Amino acid sequence: LISVTIPDSVTSIGSSAFSGCRRLSSVFYSSDQSSWDLIIIESDNEKLEKAAIHYNGDGHRYVTDAAVEATCTENGLTEGKHCETGGEILLAQEEIAAFGHTWGEWEVTEEATYEASGTRTRICETCKETETEEIPQLELPFTDVSPTSPFLDAILWAKEQGITGGITPTTFGPDQSCTRGQAVTFMYRAAEKPEGAGDVQFTDVSTNSFCYKAVCWAVEKGITYGTSAAAFSPDATCTRGQIVTFLYRNR
C-alpha cells in the first residue's frame, strides 16, 4: 500500500490500523486540515502519521489515476492521483515491470520423422498464450539407407541393439551380400553374446577373428557345422537357404 484515501466521515483510526503498511507515503483526505486534526489516531500508526497528507480543502480537486495490471508481456502502473484543476501530480504512478510468461512443459504435437520435422507446444499458465517450436527432422545413421527403404526399421533396430554397426561408420551396405561369418555374428549378438561356448578347430577361423566367438557358439548350438570338417568359410557368401537354416536350427 503506497497511498490511501480517507473520507471525511472518519472520526478515529484504530490502533495498528496501518502498522503493516511499510510503503505508505501519501494520504488523501476528502476535507481540510482542521477536520483532519480532529481525527483520533490511536497507537502503532507511525507510517500513517509520517505520510504526506493531501487535503481537498487546499484548493485541489483530486482525481485518481487508475492502476493498470502488469501482464506477461506488458508493463503496468500503480495507482496515482493528480489535481483535476491545475494538473499537479500529487501521487506519481510507478511502472510495474511485465513479469514474463510462466511456461508449462513442452508437449509434442507432431513427432519428427526421418522424412519431416515435427512440432512441440507449450502454454503459459498465466495468460494461456501458446508457443510452438519445431523439432528437427531425424537424422538417419547411414547415408545409403533412405527413409522409404523397406529395411529401415530392421536396420535401425539392429544398430540400436548392437547387432551391427554397418560396414563403415556412415554406411550400412543394404544391398551387399552377407558372409557366413557376418551371419553367425549377427545371430550371436542378437542372443546377447552368451559366454561359455567351446573352442572350434576350423583352419580358416583364427582365435582373433571378429567372428570366432560367434562361430564357436553357433557350432555348439548346432546352428552350423561348417562347410567341411576343417573349414567354416567365414568369407563365403551366406545364401538365403543357409540363413533360413541357421534361423530354423536356432529356434
Side-chain angles (χ1 to χ4, degrees):
L1 183 67
I2 298 174
S3 68
V4 63
T5 299
I6 297 177
D8 58 8
S9 59
V10 173
T11 58
S12 64
I13 297 174
S15 175
S16 303
F18 291 90
S19 61
C21 303
R22 298 189 181 94
R23 299 181 62 200
L24 182 64
S25 59
S26 296
V27 175
F28 296 89
Y29 182 55
S30 58
S31 188
D32 55 25
Q33 184 174 356
S34 60
S35 298
W36 174 262
D37 292 339
L38 295 175
I39 296 176
I40 299 171
I41 301 176
E42 298 184 6
S43 62
D44 200 15
N45 283 301
E46 291 181 6
K47 295 301 293 185
L48 175 65
E49 293 172 334
K50 291 180 179 179
I53 311 298
H54 304 279
Y55 308 102
N56 258 355
D58 59 7
H60 290 297
R61 292 183 62 191
Y62 303 128
V63 175
T64 298
D65 302 311
V68 178
E69 286 190 15
T71 68
C72 294
T73 56
E74 300 290 336
N75 293 337
L77 293 169
T78 60
E79 183 180 283
K81 289 185 183 294
H82 71 275
C83 175
E84 188 179 49
T85 304
E88 179 186 352
I89 296 175
L90 303 173
L91 180 63
Q93 289 183 289
E94 296 181 8
E95 188 173 74
I96 303 170
F99 40 79
H101 292 296
T102 305
W103 294 112
E105 296 295 325
W106 286 106
E107 291 189 10
V108 176
T109 49
E110 186 174 356
E111 295 281 356
T113 68
Y114 291 105
E115 296 182 87
S117 60
T119 56
R120 64 177 187 170
T121 60
R122 61 180 180 176
I123 300 174
C124 175
E125 296 173 357
T126 305
C127 68
K128 307 308 178 186
E129 181 175 330
T130 299
E131 182 178 41
T132 301
E133 184 176 271
E134 182 181 73
I135 303 172
Q137 180 177 328
L138 299 180
E139 291 187 10
L140 286 166
F142 302 114
T143 57
D144 57 352
V145 179
S146 75
T148 57
S149 169
F151 314 121
L152 177 63
D153 290 341
I155 290 171
L156 295 175
W157 168 81
K159 185 178 186 301
E160 182 180 329
Q161 297 296 315
I163 293 170
T164 178
I167 56 176
T168 74
T170 58
T171 58
F172 184 79
D175 298 319
Q176 291 188 17
S177 299
C178 186
T179 66
R180 287 169 53 81
Q182 289 172 332
V184 294
T185 300
F186 292 168
M187 294 179 66
Y188 175 65
R189 290 172 180 170
E192 300 183 352
K193 301 180 181 180
E195 296 291 338
D199 295 333
V200 292
Q201 302 301 319
F202 293 125
T203 58
D204 55 358
V205 181
S206 65
T207 56
N208 60 0
S209 169
F210 80 92
C211 64
Y212 177 75
K213 288 187 177 181
V215 171
C216 293
W217 167 78
V219 170
E220 184 176 87
K221 288 276 291 182
I223 295 169
T224 179
Y225 304 102
T227 53
S228 72
F232 181 76
S233 304
D235 297 324
T237 299
C238 192
T239 65
R240 288 165 55 84
Q242 288 173 331
I243 288 176
V244 295
T245 300
F246 291 170
L247 295 170
Y248 176 73
R249 291 173 178 168
N250 192 42
R251 291 177 304 165

